[in-house]
Amino acid sequence: MPTTSSSPGLCSWTIMGCSVRLLQLLSTGVASSLVASVGTQRVGVDNWFMFFWCFCYIVTLLIIIVEYSKLRFHFSSHWYNFPINYACYAALFCFSTSIISATTYVPFLPQGTTRNHAITATAFSCIAAVAYGTEFVWTWVGHRPRRIITYVHTVHGLLKLLENFVACIIFAFISNTSLYQHQPALVWCVAVYSTCFILGTLAILLGLVYCDSWLPIRFPISQLGLTLFSVLLYISALLLWPLYQFNEDLGGQSQRSSDMTCRDEFTTYVCNWDQRLAVAVLTAVNLLLYVADLVITSCLVSDRLHPQAPVSLYLWSYYIV
């Protein structure tokens, strides 16, 4: 558990943390303000960009208030787990937002104020990603000498973060409801993404507060069941989404050129066919993450059920040291 004793490392982190969080606040605030000032968000994906930046700004502001007003002492000893996990999430969100915006949105904007504001917002998003990444790495390195194990220090925790991160990117693409509303099977896929995201969020929250006692069975065993359930759901989504999106016999479009929104004269952003393909690829990526998570969790459960197993197996399957 963390201690409250001071040290050079902790003092330097106080200065470093204040500077980095102010940079996070500034960069996400400027990015969201620039986009909002000219109303450049014209499609679903860009609305999600705006949401990510505003969300990061608000949560960072709350963390600053809690940290520097000493309210954190009222949130129990598990508070230190929250900022590092949030920094990991925010770094991934801002980085992906910067890449997607720079490659699929900014190049299609006409020259002028709107394009300049979008470019500047993307640049500040990159700065925010670096700032959040710096906090994550700095906090991680700072915790290791004091032997503090946070949830994000575990393989299982990192996989859960990545699974939910990929799911958020999927949500950005399926915010275009015309991709799936016409087929019940595709609506099922959206339900799969939502259900697994909720289960992953629940797993992260339980991991953050170490609440094994809240569950009817041990935490790792519960995680094994939830992960297996998520794997089965994602397998169904991986089969149904490409089948109904790209099979012409089932109403799909096998060629990009057959999509009216992908014709040159109408292409001012990522067209519907591109979004369908992106969701299919991300579904496969997330399924691989869930399978890896299932293997890791199985090793952990096996170690819990067979205490005579080598300690190195437990460390490999659960902790990153």
Side-chain angles (χ1 to χ4, degrees), residues 1 23 37-38 70 83 129 133 156 167 182-183 191 252 266:
M1 300 299 295
L23 181 59
S37 64
V38 294
K70 298 184 179 180
H156 177 69
H182 59 286
Q183 281 286 358
F266 295 109

Side-chain angles (χ1 to χ4, degrees), residues 246 248 253-267 271-274 276:
F246 305 116
E248 294 182 355
Q253 296 171 320
S254 59
Q255 299 295 326
R256 189 178 188 272
S257 57
S258 61
D259 191 332
M260 292 288 293
T261 64
C262 294
R263 295 185 178 180
D264 293 340
E265 61 267 29
F266 295 109
T267 304
C271 67
N272 290 349
W273 196 91
D274 295 332
R276 295 185 183 103

